[in-house]
Amino acid sequence: MQAPIQQAPFGTLPNGEQVSIFTLANAKRMTVRILDFGGIITEIHVPDRAGAMQDVALGFDTIDPYRADSPYFGALIGRYGNRIAGGRFTLDGQDYRLPVNNGKNHLHGGIQGFDRVLWQARIEGEELVLAYRSVDGEQGYPGTLDATVRYRLTDDNEIVVRFHAVTDRATPVNLTQHSYFNLAGGGSILDHQLTIDADAFVAIDADLIPYGQLAPVAGTPFDFRSPRAIGERIGEDDEQLRHGGGYDHCYALNKPDAKALTRAARVVEPVSGRVLELFTQEPGVQFYSGNFLDGSLQGKGQVYGYRGGFCLEPQHFPDSPNQPAFPNTILRPGEVYETESRFRFSVEN
């Protein structure tokens, strides 16, 4: 029996708007807490093999760090997850310029992406529903986009994330969920055992922009088709690892059907036995090994050190509006953007 979703105050924005935190709980004692600001998952409490509960999500206790220079901890990302080269693209013969916020590139929707806006929240049974209208021209994007995200926690210890969007003008859309995980509850993630169901990944240049082709994982440090520790080969002398400062790459998932909900990745923390599996309809997953965490951020009684968290961001490929060979990310009027991902937690004995 699912517990009803609980709502409580979390803070106030500079314009006086109130931020709420919503607590989802299931019959197995798992709890997830989510803000209406940025759709941010602030906490994920799951058991280890002995039944001890621990928070496995990186985040903060108060609203101000999320408004400041948070590295997208737990946030919803839009309009476009990942990078767009030079902050520009051409669509239907018209050139568009986007704000650059990652060197000379546009990252995760810009200076004020979907991670830094207040979503309209409502509770529908076991689902937390968040809605946001991104107006024409916001962060340089064409068209008014109406986006909805539904969060649900199941009794199978799954966090289900369902995206829906429609637009009145053609526009790039690539929405994702950007939680950082540490299945040990703290310390380094380099001993976590990772599997990614992908034969290829998106090769990038020194600015983390795709060259435009996929690279095979075979014979490289990017081969996680069978379980390997994240840290096993992260220090190898490899050009792609140098470009990313570690792993910061989009994997092209092995999918028998382009829209099938299939397993993308599995992570095991060997000491606690905690397991995270990601299932998604997306063609790719960005694996990020916490390369830019440096101990300067603190939250929930922890210091977030170098490689103290990892991300598995289900998404389309980076820079797709400028890469015609990549899967399409242009949403047009009359079309519906829909995609689902599931983060399933369990234990391994």
Side-chain angles (χ1 to χ4, degrees), residues 80 202 214 252 283-284 315-317 319-321 323-330:
Y80 199 93
V202 178
L214 301 181
Q315 59 184 249
H316 274 59
F317 300 165
D319 198 37
S320 290
Q323 303 284 351
F326 286 178
N328 174 58
T329 56
I330 304 302

Side-chain angles (χ1 to χ4, degrees), residues 11-28:
T12 305
L13 299 178
N15 62 5
E17 291 182 302
Q18 300 297 307
V19 176
S20 292
I21 188 166
F22 298 83
T23 301
L24 289 64
N26 70 8
K28 295 182 179 176

Side-chain angles (χ1 to χ4, degrees), residues 10 19-21 33-40 42 63 66 130:
F10 190 76
V19 176
S20 292
I21 188 166
R33 293 190 170 94
I34 304 170
L35 303 181
D36 50 8
F37 179 80
I40 292 167
T42 64
I63 190 61
Y66 287 116
L130 301 176

Side-chain angles (χ1 to χ4, degrees), residues 67-85:
R67 292 185 47 252
D69 197 23
S70 168
Y72 307 98
F73 280 168
L76 297 176
I77 302 297
R79 282 187 198 189
Y80 199 93
N82 220 310
R83 293 167 178 84
I84 295 179

